[in-house]
Amino acid sequence: MHSTIMRLTALAAALGAALAACSGAGQAPAPRAADASPWPDVQWPLPPDPALEARIDALLASMTLEEKVGQLVQGDIASITPEDVRKYRLGSVLAGGNSDPGGKYDATPAQWLAQADAFWEASMDTSQGGKAIPILYGIDAVHGQSNIVGATLFPHNIGLGAMRNPDLMRRIGEVTALETRVTGMEWAFGPTVAVPQDDRWGRAYEGYSESPEVVASYAGAMVEGLQGKVGSKDFLDGRHVIASAKHFLGDGGTAGGKDQGDTAVDEATLVRIHAAGYPTAIAAGAQTVMASFNSVNGVKMHGNKPYLTDALKGRMRFGGFVVGDWNGHGQVPGCKNDDCPATINAGLDMAMAPDSWKGFYETTLAAAKAGTIGRERLDDAVRRILRVKFRLGLFEAGKPSQRAVGGKFELLGAPAHRAIARQAVRESLVLLKNNGGVLPLRPQLRILVAGDGANDVGKQSGGWTLNWQGTGTKRRDFPNADTIYEGIAAQAGAAGGSAEFAVDGKYATKPDVAIVVFGENPYAEFQGDIPNLLYKPGNDADLDLIKRLKAEGIPVVSVFLSGRPLWMNREINASDAFVAAWLPGSEGAGIADVLLRKADGSVQHDFKGRLSFSWPRRADQYANNVGQKDYDPLFKFGYGLRYADKGELAPLPETSGIDGEQSASGVFFAKGKPALGTRMLLSNAGQADMPATTMPVALADGSLSMAAVDHKAQEDARRLTWSGSRPARWLLASARPLDATRESNGDVQLQLTLRRDSEVTAPVWLGVGCGEGCSGRVDLQPALAALPGGEWKVVGVPLKCFAAAGADVGKLMQVPVLESAAALRLSVSRVALGALNEAQATVACPDR
C-alpha cells in the first residue's frame, strides 16, 4: 500500500505538470462527465467480498423503507437523544464543535463514553421494533481527539505540513484513532485535504500546504494511521477509526478566501490542485469522504452529481460513502435544511442534519415514497453505509465501553503519545530570522518569557480545541499539556538558569534575553475569514512590547502563533530572531527543545520546518502560491533556516500595501467607534436617524442620549440612556449589506459586551434590519435583568434567532438595533459576532 500511495503521489505531480500547460486561465465551464480526462483512474484497494455482500443483501432485503431512510440521517448530540435514535433508527450521530455531554465543554471522558454507550444501546434496542443496526458516532478529531479534556493535542495541519514527514503523520493518525476509540467514537472527520490558495480563508490552518504535492503525500499516510493498513490484521480493528477525507471539492480555492464561497476554476486546475489529496486517500481505503460547503463554478457541492457520483464514485472508484457537512445540503438551490431530496440524488449518502434531522428524515421518507428519490439510489446509499459498518466490525463489537480500548482513559495524553506530538512540534517550527546567531540560547541565561501566548494552552492550540472556536478555555482544561513558558522554565531551571514570566514584559530583574510569544487568537471556519493579511489591524500592543524590550537593550526572540502566514515585517524587523510556530497544541515544551541548547552547550534539536505556505511580502498579496504567475513572496515556499545557515536578514519594508484604517471581520463596534463603512445612529418615531459622531449626543426630545464612558481604555465605550418618554433606538447602519447566511447556520451569535447601569423593567429589544419592512428582534429583558448591575458582561443572541424572527440574514443593513420604550441605562463597549462559549449570558430563540 505504501508503494501504491507513493506511485499515486508521483502520478498526481506528473498529471498536474501536464495539465498546467493545457488548462485555460480564467475558464469556468460546467462540470464534465466522470470519464473526462483530468480525473485520475484510482484503484479502490479493498477486493470484492462476496460473504460481506451477502450479509448486506440479507439485511437490506429485510429493512423497511423507514429504516433505510433512517440510515441516511446523522443528527447532532445537542439536538438528538438516544430515544430519538431508538424511534427513528438513525444511522449516525455526531458531536459538533460546541456539542458535548450535558452541554459542558469540559465534560469528562467518562461522560463522553457513557453517552456513546447510550446511543449504541438505543440503536441495538429492538423492543419497539426495527432492526439492530449499530450507530456510527463521528467527531471532529482534527488535531488529536481535541474535544476531550486530557487528550493529546497535535499541531494543526499547517504546522504538520511544515514537517514534510509522512511517516510521522501516520503515527499521529494512529494516536488520534486510539484516543478517539477510548471515548467511544468510531469515526474521525479527517484528514482535511484542502489545498488553501488564499490565506485570508479562516480554515487555512486546516490545510497541510498550498502545494498539492505536499497534501497528496500526507493524505494517504494519515488515512492509514487512522484506519490501519488495508490488508493488515489491524485494518479497522478496535484501535482504529474510519477516516473522512474532506472537503470534496475545492474548499481551499474560493474567491477571496471566503469560507463556503465559490471556486471558479477550469476542471483541469480543479483536479490538479484541489483533488490532489483524494487519489492517495482513496488508495489507502478511506471509508468516507465529506462533501464541501462551497460551490464549484456556481454549483453547490452538496448537489453536484457530476463530481459526487460520476467523478468520485465512478472515475476514482471510491468504495465508501459520502457524508455531508453541517446542514450543507440546505444551501443547494431549492433545498432547505430539513428538506433536500436533491442532495441524495446527487450522490450524498448520509446527510449531516445536526439540528434538522427530524424534518430531513420526514421529507426524505416522503420523497422515497413518492419516487423522487429512486429505490436504486436509496439502496445504493444504504448499502454503502452498511458496508462500512460491517467492515468496521460494529455488528459484533458490543457497546463502546466493552471494546478493545473503551474506557482506558490512561491512554488519553499518554506519555508515548505526547512524545509523538512533541516531536511534531519540534519539526514544525520554521526559523525565518536569526540575526547575530542569537539562537540557540544557553539555558543558563536569565530568560524573560513575555506575551499573551506564552502561558496559554488554549491560544497555542487554536480553534477546534475543546469547542468549535477554541475560546474560553482554562489552564485546568489541559491536564496533559505544557505551555510554552512552562517548557522553557523547566529546561532553564534544570540547567541552572531561570525563566521569569510576565505577560506584559515588565520584569523584576533585567533578563539576558526575552522570548516574546504572541499571535492570532483562536478561531475556526468563517469566524477566521479576514479581509487582508494584516496582523491585528489597529492593535500594535505586541509590536510595542518587542520594541520596548529592544530599547532596553534586551535581545528579543519572537515566537509567532498563527493559523496562516501574515504580513509581519514590522515585528520581524524589531526582533533579533523570528520563529513561525503555527498552532503547536498541547506540547509547548517542544519549542524549548529547539530554542534552548543542552546544558553542555551543544544543540538539542535543530530547526527542521520548511514553509508549506509562502510568506507574504505585503498584506495585500493574496495570490502568493508557488507556481503561480509573478510569484514573489517575502519567504518562498520551502524556506526555513537551520542553525548552520547565515540567519542575517536586512531590514524589511514596512509599507503594508493596505491604505487606511482597517476593521476586524465580524466586529461592528469597538474602542468607541463603529466599523468602517458603518454609521452610528439614534432615532425614534418622531425624529429621523441622527448621526452620533460627537459625544455627548441626544435626540431632540431627550428620549435617548449617549455619552462616552470607560471600559478597558479611556472613552472606549458608550453609555445609552433612555428617558422612557417614548420608544427610541440605537443602531449601527452599514452602507453595504452583510451576508450572514453562513453564520446563522450554527451557533454564531451577535454579542454585546455591556454593563447594566439601571434596573430593567420592560422589554429591551435587540434586533437587526435588512431593508424596508425586513427585520427581526429578540427581547433581552430576562437576560439583562439576571445580570449583576455595574459589571461588564457578554450577552449573546444566536443569529438564527433573528432569522426565525423574520430577518433575511443574507442582506443585513443594520446590526445591531437596540430599542427600549422604558427608562433604561446600558453601557456598550463592543458589538461583534462570536462563539457560543464566549458569552456569559445567551438568549434563547423565542418559540414561534
Side-chain angles (χ1 to χ4, degrees):
M1 181 55 61
H2 290 233
S3 60
T4 300
I5 292 173
M6 292 296 289
R7 287 197 302 273
L8 279 165
T9 303
L11 172 63
L15 179 64
L19 292 173
C22 63
S23 63
Q27 296 180 13
R32 294 198 284 175
D35 60 356
S37 60
W39 293 94
D41 187 5
V42 183
Q43 186 63 48
W44 179 246
L46 281 83
D49 186 340
L52 172 62
E53 296 305 314
R55 292 184 72 184
I56 297 171
D57 288 342
L59 179 55
L60 195 62
S62 71
M63 293 172 69
T64 65
L65 188 62
E66 288 79 3
E67 289 170 333
K68 290 179 180 180
V69 169
Q71 288 299 301
L72 274 57
V73 182
Q74 181 184 62
D76 182 76
I77 62 170
S79 302
I80 198 168
T81 66
E83 183 56 37
D84 293 325
V85 169
R86 183 178 289 107
K87 178 179 179 180
Y88 291 93
R89 319 308 297 176
L90 301 188
S92 179
V93 295
L94 82 148
N98 283 333
S99 301
D100 312 274
K104 299 186 297 182
Y105 82 92
D106 56 352
T108 66
Q111 289 170 327
W112 281 98
L113 184 60
Q115 185 196 62
D117 276 352
F119 278 115
W120 180 88
E121 289 167 348
S123 71
M124 301 301 284
D125 182 359
T126 58
S127 61
Q128 299 176 21
K131 310 298 182 302
I133 302 176
I135 201 159
L136 270 172
Y137 193 152
I139 195 165
D140 283 293
V142 294
H143 64 129
Q145 172 56 314
S146 51
N147 296 266
I148 308 297
V149 170
T152 306
L153 302 176
F154 294 95
H156 271 293
N157 286 352
I158 190 171
L160 300 180
M163 301 187 314
R164 307 293 206 279
N165 190 340
D167 288 336
L168 187 54
M169 285 301 306
R170 190 173 287 105
R171 293 166 65 198
I172 289 170
E174 291 169 354
V175 171
T176 300
L178 190 60
E179 295 198 12
T180 299
R181 279 289 204 161
V182 165
T183 50
M185 300 85 181
E186 312 92 1
W187 185 3
F189 296 146
T192 298
V193 295
V195 186
Q197 300 292 285
D198 191 321
D199 297 339
R200 292 174 292 179
W201 186 35
R203 305 191 79 160
Y205 67 80
E206 296 186 52
Y208 298 117
S209 178
E210 70 189 35
S211 161
E213 289 77 20
V214 171
V215 174
S217 73
Y218 272 21
M222 189 62 174
V223 168
E224 279 194 350
L226 290 168
Q227 298 188 164
K229 185 179 179 182
V230 173
S232 70
K233 61 180 177 57
D234 64 353
F235 179 64
L236 296 181
D237 68 1
R239 300 170 67 89
H240 291 84
V241 297
I242 60 172
S244 190
K246 65 181 188 181
H247 307 84
F248 190 83
L249 183 65
D251 49 345
T254 58
K258 182 180 180 181
D259 191 42
Q260 304 182 23
D262 185 43
T263 298
V265 294
D266 59 86
E267 192 169 32
T269 301
L270 183 72
V271 174
R272 175 174 60 87
I273 295 178
H274 299 289
Y278 292 95
T280 55
I282 292 169
Q287 293 297 291
T288 71
V289 166
M290 184 179 291
S292 188
F293 281 115
N294 64 278
S295 305
V296 173
N297 297 318
V299 180
K300 279 289 181 181
M301 280 304 307
H302 276 70
N304 201 321
K305 185 174 185 292
Y307 288 162
L308 291 180
T309 297
D310 302 340
L312 179 61
K313 297 177 179 178
R315 179 74 178 191
M316 292 198 288
R317 297 191 179 94
F318 171 60
F321 70 83
V322 178
V323 65
D325 206 342
W326 190 277
N327 280 331
H329 54 273
Q331 298 181 14
V332 175
C335 288
K336 298 184 295 184
N337 289 354
D338 59 2
D339 187 1
C340 192
T343 196
I344 304 299
N345 288 332
L348 199 78
D349 300 307
M350 179 182 287
M352 186 184 290
D355 53 358
S356 58
W357 64 268
K358 187 176 181 181
F360 187 89
Y361 168 86
E362 292 170 343
T363 58
T364 303
L365 178 60
K369 288 180 177 179
T372 306
I373 299 173
R375 177 177 176 180
E376 183 178 356
R377 170 78 273 263
L378 178 64
D379 283 358
D380 173 63
V382 177
R383 179 179 294 275
R384 286 174 175 270
I385 294 166
L386 295 179
R387 189 180 289 124
V388 169
K389 291 184 176 184
F390 276 119
R391 284 180 187 144
L392 192 56
L394 284 187
F395 286 84
E396 299 79 33
K399 62 183 179 180
S401 63
Q402 296 176 344
R403 298 173 189 170
V405 295
K408 294 187 176 181
F409 302 130
E410 68 274 11
L411 293 174
L412 295 172
H417 298 176
R418 294 186 63 188
I420 293 171
R422 188 162 170 171
Q423 178 185 349
V425 173
R426 291 195 297 264
E427 296 190 15
S428 70
L429 303 177
V430 180
L431 180 60
L432 300 180
K433 176 183 180 180
N434 193 22
N435 279 15
V438 63
L439 292 175
L441 301 171
R442 290 190 302 110
Q444 294 86 357
L445 296 174
R446 182 181 291 112
I447 303 170
L448 171 68
V449 185
D452 65 359
N455 203 29
D456 188 335
V457 179
K459 180 155 182 164
Q460 74 191 39
S461 298
W464 297 109
T465 302
L466 297 188
N467 58 64
W468 178 36
Q469 295 295 314
T471 55
T473 57
K474 304 174 181 63
R475 181 64 183 91
R476 66 172 179 267
D477 298 328
F478 304 100
N480 300 320
D482 291 313
T483 68
I484 296 169
Y485 161 70
E486 289 166 351
I488 294 168
Q491 293 190 27
S498 65
E500 175 186 357
F501 171 66
V503 66
D504 59 3
K506 295 180 179 178
Y507 46 81
T509 303
K510 185 176 180 180
D512 299 310
V513 66
I515 299 174
V516 180
V517 187
F518 64 100
E520 291 188 291
N521 292 321
Y523 57 82
E525 298 193 45
F526 46 78
Q527 291 281 78
D529 286 359
I530 53 176
N532 53 60
L533 299 179
L534 290 173
Y535 170 63
K536 291 187 176 178
N539 182 352
D540 290 339
D542 297 320
L543 178 62
D544 292 343
L545 172 59
I546 297 168
K547 286 183 173 181
R548 174 167 57 82
L549 292 169
K550 280 289 290 179
E552 293 168 359
I554 302 168
V556 174
V557 175
S558 287
V559 177
F560 182 52
L561 303 174
S562 74
R564 52 192 151 207
L566 293 169
W567 184 75
M568 302 298 296
N569 288 23
R570 298 181 303 163
E571 291 81 2
I572 293 172
N573 282 342
S575 307
D576 294 281
F578 195 93
V579 178
W582 314 114
L583 299 168
S586 60
E587 304 314 305
I591 291 174
D593 291 346
V594 180
L595 298 190
L596 302 185
R597 294 179 182 270
K598 294 181 180 178
D600 64 8
S602 60
V603 173
Q604 281 197 83
H605 295 277
D606 202 348
F607 280 90
K608 290 187 176 181
R610 293 183 288 154
L611 290 178
S612 58
F613 288 78
S614 303
W615 201 277
R617 186 176 296 277
R618 301 179 316 277
D620 61 348
Q621 194 175 22
Y622 314 128
N624 191 37
N625 302 299
V626 62
Q628 287 182 330
K629 184 180 179 182
D630 300 324
Y631 178 66
D632 184 32
L634 177 61
F635 299 113
K636 293 183 178 181
F637 171 83
Y639 180 88
L641 295 171
R642 305 296 185 259
Y643 280 137
D645 296 331
K646 183 179 180 182
E648 304 298 319
L649 185 67
L652 302 171
E654 297 195 357
T655 302
S656 69
I658 300 293
D659 295 327
E661 184 182 357
Q662 298 293 317
S663 60
S665 179
V667 178
F668 306 106
F669 175 77
K671 299 179 181 178
K673 297 179 181 179
L676 290 178
T678 301
R679 296 184 302 151
M680 186 159 49
L681 306 168
L682 307 181
S683 73
N684 60 29
Q687 184 172 351
D689 293 343
M690 182 182 75
T693 56
T694 59
M695 294 297 117
V697 64
L699 292 171
D701 62 0
S703 57
L704 177 59
S705 62
M706 181 169 65
V709 294
D710 300 343
H711 177 199
K712 295 182 177 180
Q714 184 176 359
E715 297 191 352
D716 65 340
R718 296 291 179 262
R719 175 180 291 162
L720 302 167
T721 302
W722 283 266
S723 69
S725 61
R726 67 190 307 178
R729 60 183 192 162
W730 173 76
L731 66 146
L732 301 173
S734 175
R736 293 185 300 174
L738 168 68
D739 183 356
T741 305
R742 301 171 304 167
E743 289 82 352
S744 65
N745 177 26
D747 296 324
V748 176
Q749 299 181 341
L750 177 61
Q751 296 180 342
L752 277 66
T753 302
L754 53 77
R755 184 181 66 194
R756 179 172 65 81
D757 297 325
S758 71
E759 296 300 317
V760 183
T761 60
V764 180
W765 297 101
L766 177 66
V768 296
C770 39
E772 187 68 28
C774 179
S775 64
R777 65 180 189 172
V778 174
D779 184 11
L780 297 185
Q781 181 187 4
L784 293 178
L787 294 178
E791 296 183 19
W792 291 98
K793 298 293 182 180
V794 178
V795 176
V797 177
L799 284 174
K800 59 188 176 186
C801 296
F802 299 113
D808 182 347
V809 294
K811 55 174 188 177
L812 297 179
M813 300 295 295
Q814 298 170 334
V815 183
V817 179
L818 194 58
E819 183 174 359
S820 176
L824 175 69
R825 289 196 310 277
L826 283 180
S827 296
V828 180
S829 70
R830 193 171 189 267
V831 181
L833 300 182
L836 173 68
N837 60 298
E838 295 172 342
Q840 278 97 34
T842 292
V843 179
C845 297
D847 295 329
R848 296 185 63 81

